């Protein structure tokens, strides 16, 4: 059998006393069998089917996974959408019920400016709470613990001591925080005046905030229309009068924490529970499919690692060459690792979904993140099979080749970007709402890079200080010019250059590594029948091991 010139030269350089690999040690047929084994390992599913008639089980399993996982996500998405809508609608209900004069203000824009308004709003909240079940259109009810109603709690958060005299520019303050709370039960008050029944006195000089909280319960009935059992909800409502700034403006906001749990006693007329069984069956199919995929991919990863060791022994013993780490990594298919991660996330998310459907747990957010990420990864995994076609494979090859340079480039650009963020935050923050906090600065500058709301950013800059106004123009012009005209252009050029390199390399069709050169010497097509059996491969491995042991003893 004829070998390529580089490999013959490697054989001539073997030291005396080494394994000479004559025909009585490792004949050309055994070498060819090992080459056939390597070529078969790197075939795509279609070529393996043409070679041995081996059905692409992993490919069919991935198709089943895509269908079932997508159906599972749609089902969970509809349920999650109803839950999120129910929570938001109840939050809006609480704002309209307990904030006097609320007119769908954006969150954080409802504010009070006089002491009388603060007292009136607190008494208004108490009044609405005591008559809640007679006022609300929903099925809200007071929470009970051991047969007793839980109270509405009014807590003042205060400085320990404050003595102020702005006229003389003097103050005396104890910054330690104190908390003073009173509790009001729903059946405690009658129709008489609240201010005579509730002993409430606010010290506005010391006051940091007034926190009013209470618990109510309700049932989400809309899930019945989608053949799901209704959930019971417990809302911990918090109304916060924020006076931390002591600026004469007290911001008022309503928020809630939600606890979702299974109702104690329920009955749905005409419900057979078949839909719930089908949903659980779909989740079980997803788990079984992902578990099978995980086992098959793990097996392929292990086989690739074993074959990598065999090739390393073979090349070192027969050609006196060492396999580089980049060539070793060619045996570890990154897509299998990608699918392994996706399957693990999917199994975990599906188990949580089963727990949510059976009302054992209510971790909607965690389940949403897991199932959403898993579905995204499964769909991205389809690219693996498109990569078997040369025109589609160029995308993955470009991304893989450009990745190291892109990371280095982004790291350098990020240093400049962070510098601009800090500068904009400290200089423009007092004069521009988009630069008021550091996270807003990062979002604003990233939007500017993408050409979003440029004129609005320039226009909303307050011109009370001419020096700061002039600095803002210089700051914005230099940032936009640097990142849009230079950084983005260089980033695109980096990707384009890598793309051209990959495209030219594919035209030349030269082997990129010693492994590929070794496999390329096998000219047999998959349908030739030469890949039908694994005979000779075990003999090859035994010969390699005997030669390695012989060389180690000498």
């Amino acid at each position: 059998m004829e070998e390529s010139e580089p490999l013959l030269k490697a054989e001539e350089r073997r030291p005396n006393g080494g394994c000479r690999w004559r025909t009585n040690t490792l004949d050309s047929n055994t070498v060819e069998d090992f080459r056939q084994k390597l070529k078969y390992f790197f075939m795509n599913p279609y070529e393996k089917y043409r070679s041995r008639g081996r059905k692409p089980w992993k490919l069919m399993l991935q198709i089943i996974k895509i269908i079932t996982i997508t159906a599972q996500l749609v089902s969970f998405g509809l349920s999650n959408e109803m839950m999120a809508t129910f929570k938001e609608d109840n939050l809006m209900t609480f704002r309209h019920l307990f904030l006097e004069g609320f007119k769908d203000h954006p969150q954080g824009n409802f504010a009070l400016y006089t002491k009388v308004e603060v007292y009136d709003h607190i008494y208004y909240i108490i009044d609405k709470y005591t008559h809640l079940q007679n006022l609300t259109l929903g099925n809200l009810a007071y929470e009970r613990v051991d047969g007793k109603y839980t109270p509405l709690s009014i807590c003042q958060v205060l400085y320990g001591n404050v003595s102020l005299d702005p006229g003389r520019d003097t103050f005396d303050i104890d910054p330690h925080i104190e908390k003073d709370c009173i509790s009001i039960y729903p059946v405690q008050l009658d129709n008489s005046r609240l201010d005579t029944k509730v002993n409430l006195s606010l010290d506005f000089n010391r006051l940091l905030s007034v926190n009013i909280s209470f618990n109510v319960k309700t049932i989400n009935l809309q899930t019945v229309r989608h053949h799901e059992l209704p959930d019971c909800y417990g809302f911990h409502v918090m109304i916060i009068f924020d006076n931390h700034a002591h600026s004469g403006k007290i911001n008022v906001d309503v928020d809630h924490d939600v606890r979702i749990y299974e109702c104690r006693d329920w009955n749905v007329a005409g419900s057979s529970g078949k839909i719930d069984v089908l949903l659980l069956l779909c989740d079980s199919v997803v788990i079984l499919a992902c578990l099978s995929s995980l086992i098959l991919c793990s097996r392929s990863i292990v086989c690739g690692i074993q074959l990598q060791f065999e090739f390393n022994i073979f090349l070192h013993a027969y050609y006196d060459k060492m396999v580089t780490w980049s060539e070793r990594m060619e045996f570890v298919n990154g897509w299998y690792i990608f699918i392994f991660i996706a399957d693990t996330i999917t199994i975990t998310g599906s188990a949580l979904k089963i727990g949510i459907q059976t009302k054992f747990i209510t971790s909607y957010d965690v389940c949403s993140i897991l199932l959403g990420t898993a579905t995204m990864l499964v769909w991205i995994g389809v690219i693996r099979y498109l990569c078997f076609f040369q025109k589609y494979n160029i995308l993955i090859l470009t991304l893989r080749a450009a990745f190291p340079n892109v990371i280095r480039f982004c790291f350098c650009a990020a240093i400049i970007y962070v510098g601009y963020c800090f500068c904009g935050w400290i200089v423009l923050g007092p004069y521009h709402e988009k630069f008021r906090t550091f996270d807003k600065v990062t979002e604003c500058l990233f939007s500017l890079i993408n050409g979003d709301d440029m004129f609005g950013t320039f226009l909303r800059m307050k011109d009370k200080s001419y020096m700061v106004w002039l600095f803002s123009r210089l700051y914005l012009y230099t940032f936009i010019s640097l990142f849009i005209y230079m950084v983005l252009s260089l980033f695109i050029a980096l990707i384009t250059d890598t793309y051209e390199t990959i495209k030219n390399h594919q035209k030349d069709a030269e082997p990129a590594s010693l492994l590929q050169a070794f496999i390329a010497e096998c000219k047999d097509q998959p349908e030739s029948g030469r890949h039908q059996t694994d005979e000779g491969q075990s003999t090859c491995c035994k010969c390699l091991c005997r030669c390695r042991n012989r060389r180690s003893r000498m």
Side-chain angles (χ1 to χ4, degrees):
M1 177 186 144
E2 296 181 358
E3 302 289 349
S4 62
E5 183 178 355
L7 300 181
L8 286 174
K9 291 182 179 180
E11 184 180 2
E12 293 173 359
R13 291 195 298 270
R14 285 198 301 271
N16 294 330
C19 184
R20 288 291 182 173
W21 294 104
R22 302 297 184 184
T23 52
N24 59 349
T25 304
L26 184 64
D27 56 21
S28 58
N29 291 331
T30 306
V31 175
E32 185 61 24
D33 288 339
F34 186 62
R35 184 179 283 115
Q36 295 279 358
K37 181 179 180 180
L38 290 174
K39 184 172 183 178
Y40 180 80
F41 177 81
F42 287 100
M43 286 182 182
N44 61 50
Y46 177 65
E47 292 173 339
K48 288 182 179 180
Y49 177 75
R50 291 169 57 194
S51 174
R52 295 187 182 179
R54 174 183 172 182
K55 295 181 175 57
W57 297 111
K58 286 195 288 290
L59 173 59
M60 291 187 287
L61 191 59
Q62 298 306 315
I63 295 175
I64 295 174
K65 277 174 49 183
I66 290 175
I67 297 174
T68 55
I69 290 176
T70 304
Q72 178 194 49
L73 185 74
V74 171
S75 172
F76 182 76
L78 293 174
S79 177
N80 199 31
E81 180 182 343
M82 287 186 292
M83 181 270 299
T85 303
F86 187 73
K87 288 167 57 177
E88 291 298 323
D89 288 347
N90 274 276
L91 178 59
M92 188 58 64
T93 298
F94 295 142
R95 286 176 176 164
H96 278 277
L97 280 176
F98 297 107
L99 297 184
E100 185 178 10
F102 184 83
K103 300 296 183 182
D104 291 339
H105 293 279
Q107 186 176 0
N109 286 351
F110 190 86
L112 306 176
Y113 298 91
T114 66
K115 297 179 181 180
V116 174
E117 287 180 333
V118 175
Y119 279 110
D120 287 344
H121 273 77
I122 293 177
Y123 291 132
Y124 181 85
I125 292 169
I126 298 172
D127 179 64
K128 295 300 181 183
Y129 174 73
T130 55
H131 300 90
L132 179 63
Q133 291 179 311
N134 296 327
L135 292 173
T136 178
L137 296 174
N139 53 2
L140 295 173
Y142 301 118
E143 183 185 55
R144 291 190 182 189
V145 177
D146 298 330
K148 297 181 180 180
Y149 289 112
T150 57
L152 176 143
S153 176
I154 303 177
C155 294
Q156 300 182 58
V157 181
L158 309 158
Y159 284 124
N161 182 41
V162 173
S163 176
L164 299 176
D165 191 350
R168 296 182 179 181
D169 300 327
T170 62
F171 67 90
D172 181 15
I173 183 171
D174 179 4
H176 294 92
I177 304 300
E178 297 179 355
K179 197 171 185 180
D180 183 20
C181 298
I182 61 174
S183 297
I184 301 173
Y185 290 86
V187 294
Q188 180 177 336
L189 303 175
D190 52 27
N191 293 327
S192 59
R193 289 174 56 87
L194 289 174
D195 53 0
T196 62
K197 289 287 187 179
V198 179
N199 184 17
L200 181 65
S201 177
L202 303 177
D203 186 349
F204 288 95
N205 287 335
R206 299 168 55 203
L207 184 67
L208 289 171
S209 66
V210 177
N211 303 326
I212 303 176
S213 61
F214 55 88
N215 298 322
V216 292
K217 301 172 71 174
T218 187
I219 300 175
N220 184 5
L221 295 177
Q222 63 177 329
T223 56
V224 176
R225 295 184 291 106
H226 297 272
H227 306 284
E228 293 185 25
L229 290 178
D231 290 317
C232 286
Y233 286 67
F235 290 101
H236 178 68
V237 183
M238 298 159 287
I239 306 173
I240 302 171
F241 294 73
D242 186 3
N243 191 41
H244 282 78
H246 284 85
S247 60
K249 172 186 176 182
I250 295 183
N251 293 309
V252 185
D253 191 24
V254 180
D255 200 0
H256 61 21
D257 290 330
V258 185
R259 183 172 61 93
I260 306 172
Y261 53 92
E262 183 181 9
C263 297
R264 295 180 181 178
D265 188 16
W266 58 268
N267 180 39
V268 181
S271 175
S272 61
K274 291 182 179 179
I275 301 298
D276 295 331
V277 173
L278 291 177
L279 290 174
L280 292 175
L281 181 61
C282 177
D283 295 332
S284 301
V285 170
V286 170
I287 292 177
L288 289 176
C290 291
L291 189 60
S292 302
S293 173
L294 190 146
I295 294 173
L296 291 175
C297 290
S298 300
R299 175 178 171 272
S300 298
I301 293 172
V302 172
C303 290
I305 294 174
Q306 291 176 345
L307 191 59
Q308 175 257 130
F309 282 112
E310 291 184 26
F311 181 70
N312 184 42
I313 297 171
F314 174 84
L315 208 66
H316 178 66
Y318 191 55
Y319 293 112
D320 198 19
K321 285 183 175 293
M322 298 298 297
V323 181
T324 63
W325 277 107
S326 61
E327 292 171 340
R328 286 173 180 261
M329 293 306 298
E330 291 186 45
F331 288 91
V332 181
N333 194 324
W335 284 112
Y336 289 149
I337 299 176
F338 185 86
I339 295 173
F340 182 93
I341 296 172
D343 290 338
T344 303
I345 296 175
T346 305
I347 292 173
T348 306
S350 300
L352 283 177
K353 183 175 181 291
I354 291 176
I356 291 173
Q357 286 183 198
T358 54
K359 310 305 177 185
F360 284 109
I361 55 177
T362 57
S363 304
Y364 277 91
D365 292 338
V366 177
C367 186
S368 300
I369 293 173
L370 291 176
L371 290 183
T373 304
T375 306
M376 178 186 68
L377 296 179
V378 168
W379 277 95
I380 292 176
V382 177
I383 298 178
R384 171 177 181 259
Y385 301 99
L386 295 178
C387 292
F388 298 145
F389 305 96
Q390 186 175 6
K391 291 184 178 180
Y392 293 100
N393 190 38
I394 196 168
L395 170 63
I396 300 300
L397 292 177
T398 302
L399 293 176
R400 185 170 61 183
F403 184 74
N405 291 331
V406 167
I407 292 298
R408 287 190 289 266
F409 181 84
C410 290
F411 179 76
C412 295
I415 294 176
I416 304 174
Y417 182 81
V418 171
Y420 268 92
C421 288
F422 280 114
C423 179
W425 177 40
I426 197 66
V427 178
L428 305 182
Y431 301 93
H432 202 299
E433 292 181 1
K434 292 186 177 181
F435 294 83
R436 191 61 49 81
T437 61
F438 186 78
D439 58 328
K440 287 185 178 180
V441 176
T442 58
E443 295 166 359
C444 175
L445 294 185
F446 188 78
S447 299
L448 289 177
I449 292 176
N450 293 277
D452 181 33
D453 199 23
M454 285 190 182
F455 181 71
T457 304
F458 279 95
L459 187 64
R460 295 171 67 179
M461 179 65 197
K462 298 178 181 179
D463 55 357
K464 290 184 178 181
S465 172
Y466 180 76
M467 183 173 63
V468 175
W469 179 88
L470 187 61
F471 177 85
S472 70
R473 266 44 191 173
L474 180 64
Y475 172 87
L476 292 173
Y477 280 126
T478 56
F479 177 82
I480 292 172
S481 301
L482 177 63
F483 275 85
I484 291 183
Y485 304 137
M486 295 181 63
V487 173
L488 285 183
S489 298
L490 290 174
F491 184 84
I492 295 172
L494 187 65
I495 301 295
T496 305
D497 182 65
T498 306
Y499 170 78
E500 294 295 333
T501 303
I502 294 295
K503 190 168 65 173
N504 294 334
H505 176 74
Q506 286 189 337
K507 290 181 180 179
D508 298 337
E510 295 181 357
S513 65
L514 185 61
L515 170 64
Q516 296 177 12
F518 180 76
I519 296 176
E521 294 181 16
C522 178
K523 304 300 182 181
D524 297 323
Q525 298 299 318
E527 62 272 14
S528 65
R530 293 294 302 276
H531 307 279
Q532 292 294 327
T533 64
D534 291 334
E535 294 179 1
Q537 293 171 1
S538 60
T539 304
C540 173
C541 296
K542 292 178 181 178
C543 292
L544 290 172
C545 294
R546 284 202 304 269
C547 179
R548 183 183 62 175
N549 294 334
R550 185 187 309 171
R551 293 185 65 179
S552 63
R553 291 194 299 268
M554 296 181 66

